[in-house]
Amino acid sequence: LGRIGALLLGSVLGSRFDADPKRWKLRGDVLYALGIAIEATAPAAPRSFLAIATVANVTKSGAYMMKLPAASAILRTLAKPKNFGDVAGKANVQEVFSGIVGTFLGIFLSLTFVKTNRVAVLVSFLIYFVVNAVASYQSVASVSFKTLNFQRTLILAKEYLSNNGNVLSVEECNAQENIVLPSPLGFAKVIRLGMPLSRAAHSLQEMKRLIEVYAGQRYIISIKAGCVLIVLHENARVSDEVQALLQASLLTLPGKPRWEDPWLELAETLENARKETPGFIEAMRVKGWDTVHFLHSNADMRASWRIGSPHPMPAS
């Protein structure tokens, strides 16, 4: 059952690991510790041993499915072009060594201090959980990615717009990343990237107007229920995704009146984003950012519509 659960989890979440490996690695570590906690309760309920052990096994298998792909993505940032295998091998050696040390330490503590005292077992586990969570957080927080993703691009865009074209370095931007809270609760509270076209327009008339406003663009932005919804065209490129997030940042700048005339603000911020995007991308490239790739969890969510000319020729 544990392997089946891992397969199901991998099939659902597989495309999301590359976009935010730090967060998935941290989640996997915490979930694995939770699986150990469930496993430790099994002796206290002998009649439910099989059910508890099954839940613990599924939880730990799911944690491994989160941890391993995310860890591979993180290791690639530490490797040079031709030594990924060397780095991965050393990481495995460290994991095995720490596992051996932890096993002997656990045996020593159980024989000398914990024994059969349930309170001592609980206290020991809580200490392990806190130390593991803090160490895991520090390890992923120390990694700096040069690739653009949803959150890093928004951090860069807001800094660029707020501080006269300044672009944060790779290390400065990564230090501001939220890797604990989900995006809707953290940095990007109202911006949704990779939405279906049906969410952006609730009527055929509204859809036609959006396509008219975004003529010549490979994305559409709509404002619904206090959220900025970004729909990507099937042919959207990295520059289009960056421009879309730059425009979304213009729409959500702190202190800005919130969408008194949405259609007018969409048109004005679109024009500003079109002008600023080339300079923004060049400034990121100079600071060492990878402006060729853009990773996000809804990468496959694209829509198709006819892209018209932004400046149609008058009829003769």
Side-chain angles (χ1 to χ4, degrees), residues 183-226:
S183 293
L185 299 178
F187 189 82
K189 295 182 178 179
V190 297
I191 300 174
R192 306 287 185 268
L193 177 64
M195 302 302 293
L197 194 56
S198 58
R199 289 280 301 276
H202 294 168
S203 68
L204 182 60
Q205 182 179 2
E206 185 179 12
M207 186 179 297
K208 288 181 178 180
R209 186 169 182 182
L210 282 171
I211 293 174
E212 180 181 344
V213 170
Y214 284 89
Q217 306 302 313
R218 295 184 180 89
Y219 73 91
I220 284 174
I221 288 183
S222 176
I223 298 173
K224 295 292 179 186

Side-chain angles (χ1 to χ4, degrees), residues 19 24 46 75 77 81 94 96 197 212 217 219 231 240 291:
W24 287 109
L75 287 177
T77 68
Q94 291 178 357
V96 171
L197 194 56
E212 180 181 344
Q217 306 302 313
Y219 73 91
V231 183
D240 302 306
T291 58

